[in-house]
Amino acid sequence: MKDWYLLYCKRSEQERAVINLDRQGVECYYPQVTVEKIVRGKRVTAFEPLFPSYMFVYFDPESISYTTVRSTRGVADFIRQGARPQTVNPDLIYSLMINEDSEEQQSKLSDLPKPGETLKLTQGQFKGIEAIYQEPDGEKRSFMLINLLGKPVKVSVQNEDLVKK
């Protein structure tokens, strides 16, 4: 009987794992989100994994063994509960598929400050320091440029720690 499982992939090798797993007849899914970032000085729109290094796979362990899937190039191992690979509720997978790149997800990313905008940090070790927004660092963090001892330093902070000046 087919089930969904969660795999941990080697760093930046999800695409390789998908190609190799597809050849073996294993259905793969990893949710992606559209992000804007600066590449070589130009703003580009790119797709990035919502869960970097993690992928959902759908297969029947009686047809394709766990060892075969785990030994595929790009795959590190299954996420396990004890000795057995952890199954994932199919409703979770289908809701991720439906909500992938939804307008709500895109609006979360567009709520971020614009690069170069001056902000004040409200919490954490840099509380009270003015910073210049640089770029997002994942879904909940951002890179900020702060002035420490007369030199600009790039730091990563929680998005909720920011307030616009």
Side-chain angles (χ1 to χ4, degrees), residues 119-132 137 141-163 165:
L119 306 166
K120 189 170 190 173
L121 301 174
T122 59
Q123 296 177 9
Q125 62 188 16
F126 301 110
K127 181 178 180 179
I129 294 177
E130 287 186 11
I132 300 171
D137 176 21
R141 298 184 67 84
S142 294
F143 282 118
M144 306 296 295
L145 195 61
I146 62 171
N147 197 0
L148 250 144
L149 300 172
K151 290 188 177 186
V153 177
K154 191 174 185 178
V155 296
S156 181
V157 297
Q158 295 281 20
N159 288 342
E160 60 264 12
D161 294 349
L162 308 174
V163 66
K165 270 195 77 152

Side-chain angles (χ1 to χ4, degrees), residues 6-127:
L6 183 59
L7 285 180
Y8 182 72
C9 296
K10 295 175 184 170
R11 183 178 166 102
S12 302
E13 292 198 18
Q14 284 173 297
E15 286 295 324
R16 172 183 277 178
V18 167
I19 291 167
N20 291 312
L21 288 166
D22 279 343
R23 288 181 186 153
Q24 298 172 36
V26 176
E27 185 178 336
C28 304
Y29 172 66
Y30 64 98
Q32 294 181 316
V33 63
T34 307
V35 295
E36 283 187 10
K37 54 184 180 178
I38 307 296
V39 176
R40 295 186 198 119
K42 294 184 181 179
R43 182 179 298 261
V44 295
T45 302
F47 288 102
E48 288 188 356
L50 186 59
F51 309 113
S53 298
Y54 291 92
M55 174 188 331
F56 300 101
V57 291
Y58 187 66
F59 69 99
D60 182 359
E62 292 180 11
S63 302
I64 302 167
S65 73
Y66 295 122
T67 306
T68 302
V69 173
R70 187 177 48 97
S71 300
T72 302
R73 285 187 63 150
V75 174
D77 203 353
F78 284 93
I79 301 302
R80 300 176 181 273
Q81 180 175 3
R84 296 190 49 90
Q86 175 67 45
T87 59
V88 179
N89 186 335
D91 294 336
L92 171 67
I93 306 298
Y94 301 131
S95 69
L96 284 170
M97 289 177 175
I98 290 169
N99 291 321
E100 186 174 9
D101 275 343
S102 68
E103 288 182 26
E104 180 182 319
Q105 179 66 30
Q106 292 305 315
S107 69
K108 284 181 187 175
L109 294 172
S110 65
D111 288 344
L112 292 173
K114 304 294 179 237
E117 193 171 333
T118 303
L119 306 166
K120 189 170 190 173
L121 301 174
T122 59
Q123 296 177 9
Q125 62 188 16
F126 301 110
K127 181 178 180 179

